């Protein structure tokens, strides 16, 4: 009972807070995250009232399955952007920008934090500095997608942004695996090519293969049904199945085998949308079904943010340097790569700012990095950056999309009228 009451408070509270955010011209994502902070263990949760907030971080972690499912649907939706038509138009640009901005960001953060290590080796180790550089490459697709949806953003910048955010996950995975392998080698004195190259390559290949198989299977099953509701149910069931399989981990011949949930679900959505002639209508119905799920995802994400790290001055120092260098890396990397691929001026100028949000993927990498001797510092710095980026990032994304002319702020269409116009 307590769990259901807590979830209802999260859902209703987040939606009510979004009305306040609207008055302040802030994205709804920010409202959901603030609601989570309020209901979390550092605010209302401290009162210990059952059902009203989360008294401990453990209670929030128990609902992690909701976040995993939400990420699966987010990735499935982003996969819809990888249509052949879209890829022909800007596939080369998306791949170039996705790789360059991630590499530049990692390099810049590495340089800044490595310099801090040589100046003050007691503050951060070299292995942690290298690891944080790789984590910096990761961008959160969830916040970006929610801003695009809320404001119905559309245009060249929006389309390129969604493609780059999707590619960013694969690039970030490779950079992190390689950097983490180097960090472990620095601490142990043993270089493992298995950790640096083999395992990340296997993870990416298996994730894409599983996603492709899931997309083909979804299309095959959907053909047996013609009812909209049944097709919707099948789609939801397949995404849940894909999320579940993606969480599996096992070992073969000493090699750790796992899947990237985001890559698997993106590939499922990509393949399905390119071979299914009724995919656009079906994706629109899936989007409407997942709306409350995404609200819960962001509220729970806000509740997970650890405010206690704000009391540690060393974490704040490293965190501020990390945020500044990462933000500069994202902007410079995106600007240079956009200019090199001859993107339109509004894309070149604004894309970097829209790539700042960071959350789930980075936190997952930070959990792995806790095995380092200075792993606690890595985790706390990432927690601090996520706190800042998740609260500020969506607003900056909205501002950039508006500046690029891809959000019509003058348009005020009610949901009922919009749905009537699309036949929902």
């Amino acid at each position: 009972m307590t769990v259901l009451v807590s979830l209802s408070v999260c859902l209703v509270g987040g939606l009510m807070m979004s009305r306040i955010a609207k008055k302040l011209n802030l994205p709804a994502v920010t409202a959901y995250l603030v609601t989570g902070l309020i209901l979390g263990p550092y605010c209302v949760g401290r009162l210990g009232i059952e059902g009203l907030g989360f008294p401990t971080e453990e209670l929030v972690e128990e609902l992690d399955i909701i976040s995993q499912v939400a990420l699966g649907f987010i990735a499935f939706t982003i996969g819809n952007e990888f249509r052949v038509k879209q890829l022909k138009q800007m596939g080369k640009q998306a791949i170039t920008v996705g790789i360059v901005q991630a590499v530049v960001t990692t390099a810049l953060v590495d340089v800044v934090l490595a310099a801090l290590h040589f100046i003050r080796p007691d503050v951060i180790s070299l292995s942690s500095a290298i690891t944080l550089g790789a984590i910096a490459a990761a961008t959160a697709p969830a916040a970006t997608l929610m801003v695009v949806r809320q404001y119905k953003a559309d245009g060249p910048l929006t389309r390129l942004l969604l493609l780059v955010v999707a590619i960013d996950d694969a690039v970030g995975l490779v950079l992190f695996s390689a950097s983490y392998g180097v960090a472990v080698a620095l601490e142990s004195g043993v270089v493992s090519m298995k950790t640096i190259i083999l395992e990340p390559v296997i993870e990416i290949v298996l994730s894409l293969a599983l996603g492709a198989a899931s997309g083909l299977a979804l299309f095959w099953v959907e053909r047996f049904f013609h009812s909209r509701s049944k097709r919707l149910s099948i789609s939801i069931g397949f995404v849940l199945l894909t999320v579940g399989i993606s969480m599996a981990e096992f070992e073969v011949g000493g090699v750790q085998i796992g899947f990237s949930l985001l890559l698997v679900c993106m590939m499922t959505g990509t393949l399905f949308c390119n071979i299914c002639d009724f995919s656009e209508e079906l994706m629109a119905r899936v989007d409407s079904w997942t709306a409350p799920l995404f609200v819960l995802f962001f509220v729970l994400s806000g509740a997970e943010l650890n405010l206690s790290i704000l009391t540690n001055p060393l974490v704040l120092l490293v965190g501020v340097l990390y945020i500044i260098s990462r933000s500069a890396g994202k902007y410079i990397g995106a600007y240079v790569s956009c200019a090199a691929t001859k993107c339109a001026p509004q894309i070149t100028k604004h894309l970097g700012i829209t790539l700042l949000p960071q959350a789930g993927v980075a936190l997952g990498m930070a959990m792995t990095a806790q095995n380092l001797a200075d792993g606690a510092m890595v985790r706390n710095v990432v927690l601090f950056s996520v706190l800042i980026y998740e609260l500020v990032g969506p607003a900056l994304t909205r501002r950039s999309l508006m500046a690029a002319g891809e959000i019509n702020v003058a348009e005020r269409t009610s949901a009922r009228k919009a749905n009537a116009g699309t036949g929902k």
Side-chain angles (χ1 to χ4, degrees), residues 47-348:
L47 299 176
I49 301 175
E50 286 193 10
L52 184 61
F54 302 95
T56 64
E57 294 179 7
E58 288 72 22
L59 289 176
V60 183
E61 291 175 1
E62 289 177 3
L63 298 173
D64 183 61
I65 188 63
I66 294 177
S67 298
Q68 296 297 317
V69 170
L71 280 174
F73 278 102
I74 288 167
F76 183 68
T77 301
I78 290 178
N80 184 47
E81 300 300 319
F82 282 85
R83 293 180 179 272
V84 173
K85 182 181 178 181
Q86 291 278 70
L87 293 175
K88 285 181 178 178
Q89 290 178 344
M90 53 181 58
K92 181 180 177 181
Q93 292 176 330
I95 293 172
T96 302
V97 174
I99 295 174
V100 172
Q101 57 84 24
V103 172
V104 169
T105 301
T106 295
L108 187 55
V109 175
D110 277 345
V111 169
V112 171
L113 296 186
L116 175 63
H117 162 73
F118 289 115
I119 296 171
R120 289 285 306 273
D122 58 311
V123 174
I124 186 171
S125 66
L126 184 59
S127 58
S128 293
I130 292 173
T131 303
L132 279 169
I135 294 175
T139 299
T144 302
L145 180 63
M146 285 294 286
V147 172
V148 169
R149 275 187 177 181
Q150 179 185 353
Y151 296 102
K152 299 181 177 63
D154 189 31
L157 173 58
T158 301
R159 291 191 286 271
L160 181 61
L161 169 61
L162 292 176
L163 291 174
V164 170
V165 166
I167 293 170
D168 187 83
D169 183 52
V171 178
L173 176 63
V174 173
L175 289 173
F176 174 75
S177 298
S179 297
Y180 182 63
V182 172
V184 171
L186 286 173
E187 293 190 349
S188 65
V190 179
V191 178
S192 173
M193 298 307 292
K194 179 187 72 174
T195 304
I196 296 176
I197 299 177
L198 184 59
E199 289 184 353
V201 170
I202 289 176
E203 181 172 337
I204 291 174
V205 171
L206 288 181
S207 296
L208 294 177
L210 176 59
S214 179
L216 285 170
L218 174 58
F219 173 63
W220 182 76
V221 173
E222 291 279 14
R223 292 187 305 166
F224 292 99
F225 300 91
H226 302 284
S227 165
R228 291 180 177 179
S229 60
K230 289 179 180 177
R231 282 180 170 174
L232 173 62
S233 299
I234 291 295
S235 299
I236 293 170
F238 257 84
V239 175
L240 293 176
L241 175 63
T242 305
V243 170
I245 297 175
S246 300
M247 297 170 71
E249 293 183 356
F250 50 93
E251 189 174 309
V252 177
V255 178
Q256 192 67 29
I257 304 297
F259 302 95
S260 167
L261 184 151
L262 289 176
L263 280 182
V264 173
C265 293
M266 281 178 194
M267 190 61 182
T268 301
T270 298
L271 196 66
F272 175 71
C273 291
N274 277 288
I275 62 178
C276 179
D277 56 357
F278 53 84
S279 62
E280 289 195 33
E281 177 193 352
L282 188 57
M283 290 299 295
R285 301 186 73 81
V286 170
D287 289 347
S288 63
W289 182 87
T290 55
L293 179 64
F294 291 167
V295 174
L296 288 175
F297 168 74
F298 285 105
V299 174
L300 292 174
S301 296
E304 288 179 333
L305 297 177
N306 190 341
L307 298 183
S308 65
I309 58 175
L310 299 178
T311 61
N312 188 330
L314 293 181
V315 171
L316 295 181
L317 170 64
V318 179
V320 168
L321 289 175
Y322 173 86
I323 289 172
I324 292 174
S325 56
R326 178 181 181 270
S327 301
K330 286 289 181 183
Y331 186 82
I332 294 171
Y335 190 96
V336 170
S337 55
C338 283
T341 54
K342 296 180 172 54
C343 291
Q346 68 267 27
I347 296 178
T348 303

Side-chain angles (χ1 to χ4, degrees), residues 357-371:
Q358 188 173 46
V361 176
L363 289 174
M365 293 176 176
M367 291 295 288
T368 301
Q370 284 191 115
N371 296 320

